[in-house]
Amino acid sequence: MDSVLDLLFDHAKGLGLNIVRYNIGGGSNPAFDTNMRPFADIPGFRPGGPSTPYDWTADERQRNVLLGAMERGVTVTEAFSNSPPFWMTISGSVTGNIGWGKDNLHPNYYDAFVDYLTTIVKHFEEAWGIHFDTINPFNEPVEGWWNIDRRKKSQEGCNFSIPTISKVLLSLQKSLDEQNISTKISALDSWSQNTCQVLLRMEEDCLKAIHQVNVHTYVNSPTREEDAQRQKVKQRMSLLGKKLWMSEYGPLNWVGEELDVALAVGKHITLDLNDLQPSAWCYWQALEVSGSSWGLLTAPFSYDKKPFVVSLRKQYFVMMHFTRWIRPGFQIFDIASLKDTLVIASNLSGSSLVLVGTNTSNCNKDIRVDLSNLASGLVGTSIQVALFRTSAVENHVELPILYFDSPILFVRLALKSITTMLIS
């Protein structure tokens, strides 16, 4: 576990990720939810029902991962729920209701669900010193697909109608205020193309309760990136004055060679940072089961495997090109002409300028950027550029330094590669 945490959260040894989203489990119904995927069967803290005490020994592994991540530099934490406990649901299952899009939180348990979330948030801070900056009671609540299906392995999920969302948000804000809990509310963790429609149908008091809007920029294919409607979402959040996160993403339904999928993820990150401009970008599940196209790391999800091997995927190194060098507090510059190819960022003082270029094509790609327009300290000066590249045969490998007599950068992005450029 220490090795995995170093790879993900230690800035010197790994990616230096600084956010953890902690999943507050509902807890599956042992008599009914028999088709849960092993790595999606999150223990709940009150499995016995409303008259039983909380079990604070539950979910020790996920909590230890969170604590270990915080020891390695994580500074931002969010708690989120995929489903209420099974005994609060209409169907009796944390996997959803019977029928497309039907609410699954029982009306008798609106306040009980809120109390469940706030009790856990408060206990984590008092017992383990874990303060959650935000709490999100939903995950993809309006997409409609959280339905009981015995034909496949399942996971926790719950449909919420907009009226139910509104009731939960107002109840949650009231509970946080009454208990003097400083954790803010985030919502809705819907697909980005659905988010604006939901927010437009919410009353002002519900919108006021939302401190941070979380979106998922999933698209069904790398050729349909426009489906994410990034600029529309960005404009709406600007009008509402809301903080914006891209809180969940992975290569959904993508097929192809490992490098192709990884570079498509890099291109997707580039589009998100340029067009959506969120203040945070979160990968869904960093460690995945061996054989999956998801995951920055993969491992057999069984403790009886000897030796236990953790594999670093190409996606891990693609992510490193961003996270190792574009650090918290950096500014992302608008660059519309290369928005699917290049991310340009700097620290607030302008002393550190970072470019990340992704080339998913089978041909080399030349780019030209006038850096004097981005950092006043570079006007009329020569520059040197340190480069790191991932390709079919390289994994974040350092390349020879380039020197330029002026702050106009000419770089060739090799075919099917991602390159980070550090300007000084």
Side-chain angles (χ1 to χ4, degrees), residues 22-25 42-45 55-64 124:
Y22 178 89
N23 181 197
I24 296 178
I42 309 300
F45 290 95
D55 177 9
W56 296 119
T57 67
D59 203 24
E60 181 181 12
R61 290 176 182 166
Q62 189 184 185
R63 185 171 68 251
N64 285 340
F124 266 60

Side-chain angles (χ1 to χ4, degrees), residues 120-388:
I120 291 168
V121 166
K122 189 173 185 178
H123 185 85
F124 266 60
E125 183 150 15
E126 292 175 347
W128 298 300
I130 299 170
H131 171 75
F132 290 113
D133 299 283
T134 49
I135 171 71
N136 192 333
F138 317 111
N139 179 63
E140 299 179 352
V142 300
E143 277 62 31
W145 44 57
W146 303 118
N147 311 300
I148 296 172
D149 188 348
R150 298 295 177 197
R151 297 167 298 177
K152 64 179 183 180
K153 293 293 184 182
S154 194
Q155 65 191 65
E156 291 191 356
C158 185
N159 301 313
F160 289 85
S161 64
I162 294 176
T164 304
I165 288 172
S166 298
K167 290 175 183 177
V168 170
L169 285 174
L170 291 175
S171 179
L172 179 56
Q173 185 62 69
K174 180 181 177 183
S175 181
L176 291 170
D177 290 343
E178 289 178 346
Q179 298 185 62
N180 198 30
I181 299 172
S182 62
T183 299
K184 305 295 184 181
I185 296 175
S186 59
L188 297 157
D189 269 86
S190 284
W191 281 34
S192 52
Q193 53 266 49
N194 297 329
T195 299
C196 289
Q197 300 173 38
V198 176
L199 294 176
L200 285 169
R201 294 170 60 188
M202 294 177 66
E203 298 294 333
E204 184 64 32
D205 55 348
C206 296
L207 291 174
K208 187 177 179 181
I210 301 172
H211 171 75
Q212 171 182 299
V213 174
N214 291 0
V215 300
H216 303 171
T217 55
Y218 287 117
V219 291
N220 288 313
S221 164
T223 62
R224 296 183 57 177
E225 287 287 3
E226 70 280 359
D227 289 355
Q229 298 181 14
R230 296 173 174 90
Q231 292 191 357
K232 180 180 178 181
V233 173
K234 179 188 71 173
Q235 291 166 3
R236 184 62 184 165
M237 295 311 106
S238 179
L239 287 172
L240 291 173
K242 299 295 183 184
K243 186 177 181 180
L244 175 63
W245 273 24
M246 202 306 296
S247 57
E248 181 184 322
Y249 176 75
L252 178 70
N253 296 331
W254 292 16
V255 294
E257 297 296 325
E258 181 181 342
L259 177 63
D260 292 330
V261 172
L263 291 175
V265 170
K267 178 180 177 180
H268 189 97
I269 295 172
T270 300
L271 282 165
D272 279 348
L273 296 182
N274 285 324
D275 270 358
L276 185 67
Q277 296 182 1
S279 62
W281 198 97
C282 306
Y283 193 87
W284 166 230
Q285 190 156 280
L287 179 66
E288 273 284 358
V289 64
S290 299
S292 173
S293 62
W294 294 62
L296 310 176
L297 311 171
T298 58
F301 278 22
S302 173
Y303 286 104
D304 61 1
K305 297 291 184 182
K306 304 294 182 183
F308 189 87
V309 177
V310 176
S311 299
L312 279 66
R313 309 296 305 282
K314 283 292 184 182
Q315 285 185 63
Y316 177 87
F317 294 103
V318 166
M319 185 67 75
M320 181 178 286
H321 281 273
F322 296 94
T323 64
R324 176 69 69 84
W325 306 109
I326 300 176
R327 299 303 300 160
F330 272 49
Q331 173 189 359
I332 307 294
F333 292 98
D334 287 322
I335 183 161
S337 62
L338 291 169
K339 68 179 184 179
D340 64 349
T341 303
L342 193 64
V343 173
I344 303 178
S346 76
N347 59 3
L348 291 180
S349 68
S351 61
S352 179
L353 193 61
V354 179
L355 288 77
V356 182
T358 304
N359 182 8
T360 61
S361 75
N362 290 311
C363 302
N364 296 334
K365 186 172 185 177
D366 295 336
I367 61 171
R368 176 188 182 278
V369 184
D370 185 349
L371 301 175
S372 64
N373 297 324
L374 306 174
S376 58
L378 295 179
V379 175
T381 66
S382 59
I383 60 171
Q384 66 179 37
V385 184
L387 300 102
F388 298 83

Side-chain angles (χ1 to χ4, degrees), residues 84-105:
F86 71 88
W87 49 268
M88 295 186 190
T89 66
I90 294 171
S91 67
S93 170
V94 294
T95 66
N97 207 334
I98 300 170
W100 183 270
K102 291 185 177 180
D103 272 22
N104 202 31
L105 175 59

